[in-house]
Amino acid sequence: MAEIENMEVWQDPETIQTILHNAQTVAIVGLSSNPLRASNFVGFYARRHGYRVIPVNPRETEVFGERSWPSLSEIPEPVDVVDVFRAPDAVPGIVEESIAINAKALWLQFGVIHEEAATEARTAGIDVVMDRCLKIEHARYIGRMHVLGFNTNTLSARREAPA
Amino acid sequence: MSEEHRPDREFGFHTRSIHAGARPDPTTGARAIPIFQTTSYVFEDPESAAAYFNLQEYGNTYSRIMNPTVAAFEERLSNLEGGIGAVAFASGLAAQSSALFTLLAPGDHVVASAALYGGTVTQLKHLERKLSLDVTFVDPDRPQNWADAVREETKLLFGETIGNPGGNVLDIEVIANIAHDAGAPLLVDNTFATPWLCRPLDWGADIVVHSATKFLGGHGTSIGGAVVDAGEFDWSNGRFPIIAEPSPAYHGLAFHETFGTYGYLMKLRAETLRDLGGAMSPFNAFLFLQGIETLGLRMDRHVGNARTIAEWLSERDDVTQVRYPGLAGSKYGELVAKYLPRGAGAVFCFDLDGGREAGQDFIRGVRLFSHLANVGDAKSLIIHPASTTHRQLTDDELAAAGIGPGTIRLSIGLEDAQDLLWDLEQGFAQIG
Ligand SMILES: Cc1ncc(COP(=O)(O)O)c(C=O)c1O
């Protein structure tokens, strides 16, 4: 795995929370219909939590009953987050397309590391998260990761509305 | 976004000891963590039930695998240790065996400190026979010993921050580097230090285990343990197919691919805890949570009392040796300065001038120190290993275990130090 000096700048908690709170539509590049694959876990979870999930994968026709598009450019509606489950060398192309379709955020999953391409996306005004899982970050800040004993690093003495 | 969820403040240790993991209960508003004394949880609908069992969603199913009171303890401890999460167990030894079971396969090799707690050594030898492992025990004080013992099949290095009862201080950073050069994780038992005195994950250890029975609970009421993961170890390095490859025990799920850095803990909970079943009880978790609220305060006092008593003992003519790593002139002085700047714990041994008889007489003489086989209580504790835990051993065998016939082990509590000194004086008087 590529080692990056300042990985924290790509994993900023504020950026992560802003993306998760504002997004409605998530295009998952490399979404698999196999329920054992990580991409399927994330897509399934995102749908349960109210996001509209758009599959992007030329090798699938349909995932979760949604049409799968061969590439980002072909999606006929606006995309808030481009969530990437692809080998790192596919990232530069995905960044170009993300800029072209006016995506607001680029989310690179565990191990999808490409600093130049990420920098290019950021320069174009796109929020970027790298080497983080969208499902886990959602569960940490909004969902229920604490029920499995994970450290959400959030502290509060306020009472929240029941789930 | 709710303001209080912005993690833009690094809260201090005491704040986190009190608040981490302890959200007010959304349904009742209860401020103390409720004891969720329930075996199981009603599902919202069949889809949610399926999603929980498939691990596609975080939710409660059955209290052998997760419980909200236990989860609060897990989150709090992992927060204090600087880990990404924790899984709690019914005892410290259950935590250790489950930590090992999750990452080892038959034929694997472990390098362990020979100065580990005796119960841990016994456990490792037992697992070695039953699981076809191979364990090499090394004198932990020379890093070269660890490096020399490592071989191709080595999948784990295992030490204690402060050894029980020898007081050996582990050179965590150096041993972690040796482990990582070998492509193996370093597991550290941090029971004696607690995260207030040392955070092994900050020094490169990958996994921390605890006997919560001791200082975390702090009042001698409950048996429990936990495994904390730093989330830093790369299980996809080709040496851990048991974690990286599809798991037959979980319908083909590949834990590392699916959960990334959380893969080890997910497997530890969803497979090992589910199948071996050593779950912590919610009531014990409640007591541990309460104990942890005062952890830093208590540890400072434990350490202060221990230092006073160790120094007092070291000035006596009828004491031949005091093995407290926090004493001036200890051979562990540099390691204590580096890893344990707040103090070297509160459990240590000293040697009486005289044999087994003297040891037993000393025990007869004291009356504040409780004569029992535990450590890490608010009450001061005492034991004479040669006539109790190590009774069957000859003097030569005792020596090999680092214990003399006149060795006494103390666990210093929170009483007034002057009263403890008065009590020890009575022990000396009894030897006559
Ligand atoms: C350092 C250490 N580790 C582990 C254990 C085992 O913990 P438990 O008794 O909770 O199983 C002990 C108990 O004495 C201990 O002292």
Side-chain angles (χ1 to χ4, degrees):
Chain A
M1 199 194 289
E3 285 290 336
I4 291 199
E5 283 278 317
N6 272 326
M7 192 55 107
E8 310 83 62
V9 307
W10 304 107
Q11 302 174 341
D12 173 48
E14 295 266 0
T15 309
I16 287 174
Q17 290 179 72
T18 307
I19 294 172
L20 293 173
H21 279 280
N22 295 339
Q24 287 170 352
T25 304
V26 181
I28 303 186
V29 184
L31 178 58
S32 166
S33 58
N34 177 348
L36 289 177
R37 302 308 302 262
S39 61
N40 195 281
F41 264 73
V42 172
F44 180 96
Y45 177 93
R47 281 165 57 85
R48 266 184 70 85
H49 288 268
Y51 295 99
R52 169 156 171 66
V53 169
I54 304 178
V56 179
N57 188 343
R59 281 184 298 211
E60 301 280 2
T61 47
E62 226 184 66
V63 187
F64 306 128
E66 296 277 346
R67 170 162 178 193
S68 177
W69 301 91
S71 70
L72 285 168
S73 337
E74 277 153 281
I75 299 175
E77 60 185 292
V79 170
D80 297 324
V81 184
V82 174
D83 184 24
V84 184
F85 285 87
R86 291 288 310 277
D89 59 12
V91 177
I94 293 169
V95 167
E96 270 177 43
E97 283 192 276
S98 301
I99 296 171
I101 65 168
N102 273 319
K104 299 198 187 79
L106 175 72
W107 193 300
L108 305 175
Q109 290 280 337
F110 285 137
V112 187
I113 297 169
H114 198 300
E115 195 159 33
E116 285 95 355
T119 306
E120 194 190 325
R122 176 177 284 177
T123 310
I126 297 179
D127 284 337
V128 183
V129 176
M130 185 154 63
D131 200 26
R132 277 282 172 265
C133 173
L134 186 140
K135 175 190 172 199
I136 287 169
E137 297 308 315
H138 183 280
R140 177 203 308 278
Y141 293 115
I142 303 165
R144 297 190 295 200
M145 197 159 87
H146 57 276
V147 309
L148 295 193
F150 290 116
N151 179 12
T152 62
N153 232 341
T154 58
L155 255 63
S156 172
R158 289 200 195 166
R159 179 171 175 180
E160 293 191 3
Chain B
M1 185 191 331
S2 50
E3 187 65 29
E4 72 268 25
H5 272 186
R6 284 173 195 264
D8 52 6
R9 180 167 178 83
E10 284 286 325
F11 291 107
F13 188 92
H14 302 291
T15 304
R16 290 182 287 126
S17 298
I18 292 164
H19 288 281
R23 295 160 183 74
D25 182 57
T27 308
T28 61
R31 179 57 277 207
I33 291 284
I35 300 169
F36 285 96
Q37 196 68 34
T38 183
T39 55
S40 28
Y41 309 85
V42 179
F43 303 117
E44 296 92 325
D45 47 57
E47 293 74 28
S48 300
Y52 299 161
F53 279 103
N54 286 338
L55 304 180
Q56 290 163 307
E57 172 68 279
Y58 303 86
N60 294 314
T61 57
Y62 188 64
S63 284
R64 181 179 352 103
I65 309 169
M66 74 288 279
N67 171 280
T69 314
V70 176
F73 162 75
E74 291 165 334
E75 181 170 5
R76 182 169 301 173
L77 180 62
S78 62
N79 182 298
L80 295 178
E81 285 285 6
I84 58 166
V87 180
F89 290 89
S91 69
L93 283 188
Q96 290 174 195
S97 58
S98 297
L100 267 56
F101 192 85
T102 304
L103 65 87
L104 297 176
D108 284 348
H109 176 242
V110 175
V111 183
S113 160
L116 292 171
Y117 161 60
T120 302
V121 171
T122 309
Q123 178 185 70
L124 288 172
K125 289 182 174 166
H126 193 165
L127 292 177
E128 187 176 29
R129 288 193 304 276
K130 292 282 175 63
L131 302 181
S132 304
L133 303 171
D134 190 6
V135 184
T136 304
F137 292 96
V138 295
D139 173 351
D141 292 350
R142 269 184 71 240
Q144 192 58 42
N145 295 345
W146 295 82
D148 290 346
V150 162
R151 45 186 215 233
E152 178 53 32
E153 310 79 50
T154 304
K155 297 294 173 63
L156 183 71
L157 277 63
F158 188 161
E160 282 168 1
T161 314
I162 307 172
N164 173 9
N168 312 60
V169 178
L170 191 69
D171 197 341
I172 301 171
E173 192 172 25
V174 170
I175 310 300
N177 284 334
I178 293 170
H180 298 157
D181 286 347
L186 171 64
L187 182 151
V188 174
D189 181 338
N190 199 33
T191 299
F192 273 31
T194 80
W196 175 245
L197 300 182
C198 178
R199 301 209 316 173
L201 303 182
D202 291 349
W203 297 104
D206 302 282
I207 298 170
V208 156
V209 293
H210 273 280
S211 168
T213 313
K214 310 290 156 36
F215 295 101
L216 295 181
H219 298 78
T221 62
S222 319
I223 303 280
V227 180
V228 184
D229 181 10
E232 297 285 341
F233 190 77
D234 179 13
W235 302 104
S236 65
N237 68 0
R239 295 167 46 75
F240 291 89
I242 191 170
I243 293 174
E245 310 250 297
S247 166
Y250 220 103
H251 56 70
L253 190 64
F255 278 86
H256 186 73
E257 190 217 277
T258 306
F259 299 109
T261 45
Y262 296 84
Y264 172 76
L265 283 175
M266 281 302 252
K267 190 178 172 78
L268 178 62
R269 181 183 302 282
E271 276 188 14
T272 309
L273 181 56
R274 180 197 65 179
D275 295 346
L276 300 190
M280 176 181 282
S281 91
F283 185 65
N284 283 5
F286 175 83
L287 292 170
F288 291 135
L289 281 162
Q290 195 161 58
I292 292 175
E293 291 194 359
T294 56
L295 181 62
L297 293 175
R298 288 187 291 106
M299 288 315 288
D300 278 345
R301 187 167 171 90
H302 276 295
V303 164
N305 278 353
R307 203 179 276 133
T308 302
I309 288 163
E311 281 166 5
W312 180 81
L313 287 168
S314 70
E315 280 159 17
R316 293 188 65 104
D317 294 339
D318 40 9
V319 169
T320 56
Q321 196 190 178
V322 181
R323 289 182 258 172
Y324 185 54
L327 275 181
S330 159
K331 64 172 169 169
Y332 300 110
E334 274 177 38
L335 294 175
V336 168
K338 175 170 177 179
Y339 296 108
L340 298 158
R342 293 191 174 112
V347 180
F348 64 91
C349 289
F350 68 96
D351 294 287
L352 291 167
D353 193 5
R356 297 191 190 221
E357 279 296 306
Q360 284 177 302
D361 286 343
F362 191 90
I363 300 276
R364 279 191 200 100
V366 296
R367 46 178 166 146
L368 268 184
F369 277 83
S370 307
H371 180 211
L372 54 75
N374 189 29
V375 299
D377 195 326
K379 305 157 205 66
S380 288
L381 315 175
I382 188 166
I383 198 158
H384 176 229
S387 62
T388 55
T389 50
H390 294 67
R391 175 171 194 91
Q392 321 306 342
L393 305 192
T394 65
D395 281 6
D396 283 347
E397 287 169 332
L398 278 184
I403 293 164
T407 297
I408 299 278
R409 187 185 74 187
L410 301 177
S411 172
I412 304 301
L414 305 177
E415 301 94 335
D416 292 290
Q418 293 310 313
D419 294 335
L420 297 175
L421 295 178
W422 164 83
D423 198 32
L424 293 174
E425 193 71 75
Q426 304 192 102
F428 286 110
Q430 186 77 26
I431 305 177

